[in-house]
Amino acid sequence: MKKVFSFFLLAVMLLAGAAPLTAAQNGSRLTPDEANNILEKTVGAWQIKSVAWQPWNSKFAFSEGTASYRLDDNGNVRERLSLVQPDGTVEEVEGLLRYSAKNKRFEFVQVDKAGVITLLMHGKWDPDFSMIVFTPAIAPRHVSSQVTWQYLFFDDGSFRKVVRTPDGKGNTMIAAEFHCQQPSVAKRKH
């Protein structure tokens, strides 16, 4: 179960703080420039507050952490995040977020030490809800193909990632939420 939870954490910071673009909301598809503008808004340092449902003990687990995003030479966004788990361990994950003009979609990939790229999720912009919805890039018969990631963007620059999983009755339930905000700046005493 921890590996499944880690998989969901991998993309916690896919699109941090990207405010909806007016031009993107006027059309059903994004242009590559609009998509890249959204990706560029994720660049920076972030604080994460998360809550995840733990069905094995029927409780919510709360954790906090940090993340950093930087543009690489190809215009992709490299994410690196670190979350302190309830048991005190630190979960560290890394991934690459990009927009594929060829496939006309957002993609979340892992790059291993040998440089092999594995597509994990692909997504599309939903202008009605100011969010990107990601679905797994795996065989449709696999149960995890029903998992979705929703990145909801707010006017204050923060975003909330919601992980939805099947409930076994044909519906989905919220398995985890991650709220990402700019770090607080300490006030200077005068």
Side-chain angles (χ1 to χ4, degrees), residues 86-99:
D87 64 1
T89 61
V90 177
E91 185 80 28
E92 293 186 356
V93 291
E94 191 171 343
L96 179 72
L97 179 64
R98 65 187 183 190
Y99 182 77

Side-chain angles (χ1 to χ4, degrees), residues 54 71-72 78 100 110 128 130 166 169:
Q54 295 180 331
L71 284 174
D72 69 11
R78 290 197 177 272
S100 170
Q110 276 186 318
D128 294 330
S130 296
K169 300 176 184 175

Side-chain angles (χ1 to χ4, degrees), residues 36-55:
N36 288 327
N37 286 338
I38 290 173
L39 293 178
E40 287 176 12
K41 291 180 186 254
T42 65
V43 174
W46 302 92
Q47 289 180 333
I48 305 167
K49 290 189 178 187
S50 71
V51 60
W53 178 248
Q54 295 180 331

Side-chain angles (χ1 to χ4, degrees), residues 1-23:
M1 183 69 177
K2 187 164 183 151
K3 285 189 178 195
V4 171
F5 186 69
S6 295
F7 176 74
F8 293 128
L9 288 177
L10 182 61
V12 67
M13 296 296 297
L14 275 176
L15 293 170
L21 299 172
T22 304

Side-chain angles (χ1 to χ4, degrees), residues 8-179:
F8 293 128
L9 288 177
L10 182 61
V12 67
M13 296 296 297
L14 275 176
L15 293 170
L21 299 172
T22 304
Q25 292 182 347
N26 292 332
S28 60
R29 286 198 181 252
L30 293 174
T31 67
D33 285 341
E34 290 169 335
N36 288 327
N37 286 338
I38 290 173
L39 293 178
E40 287 176 12
K41 291 180 186 254
T42 65
V43 174
W46 302 92
Q47 289 180 333
I48 305 167
K49 290 189 178 187
S50 71
V51 60
W53 178 248
Q54 295 180 331
W56 58 89
N57 64 9
S58 298
K59 292 182 180 179
F60 286 100
F62 299 88
S63 60
E64 293 185 6
T66 60
S68 67
Y69 285 79
R70 63 178 175 79
L71 284 174
D72 69 11
D73 294 336
N74 298 318
N76 302 316
V77 177
R78 290 197 177 272
E79 71 152 28
R80 188 173 268 171
L81 62 113
S82 178
L83 287 169
V84 178
Q85 300 301 306
D87 64 1
T89 61
V90 177
E91 185 80 28
E92 293 186 356
V93 291
E94 191 171 343
L96 179 72
L97 179 64
R98 65 187 183 190
Y99 182 77
S100 170
K102 176 184 174 187
N103 296 323
K104 297 182 172 117
R105 66 184 184 195
F106 289 98
E107 296 177 339
F108 188 82
V109 300
Q110 276 186 318
V111 182
D112 70 12
K113 292 179 182 181
V116 176
I117 296 174
T118 303
L119 176 65
L120 298 179
M121 304 286 280
H122 47 79
K124 64 180 180 177
W125 175 250
D126 184 336
D128 294 330
F129 296 100
S130 296
M131 74 175 168
I132 297 175
V133 179
F134 280 86
T135 55
I138 57 175
R141 286 188 231 147
H142 195 278
V143 70
S144 64
S145 70
Q146 299 169 20
V147 173
T148 59
W149 295 342
Q150 298 171 314
Y151 291 86
L152 303 156
F153 301 101
F154 303 106
D155 291 338
D156 67 359
S158 71
F159 83 99
R160 186 174 304 267
K161 177 190 175 190
V162 179
V163 177
R164 293 183 173 272
T165 59
D167 68 356
K169 300 176 184 175
N171 303 309
T172 61
M173 60 183 246
I174 295 175
E177 282 190 7
F178 306 92
H179 191 199

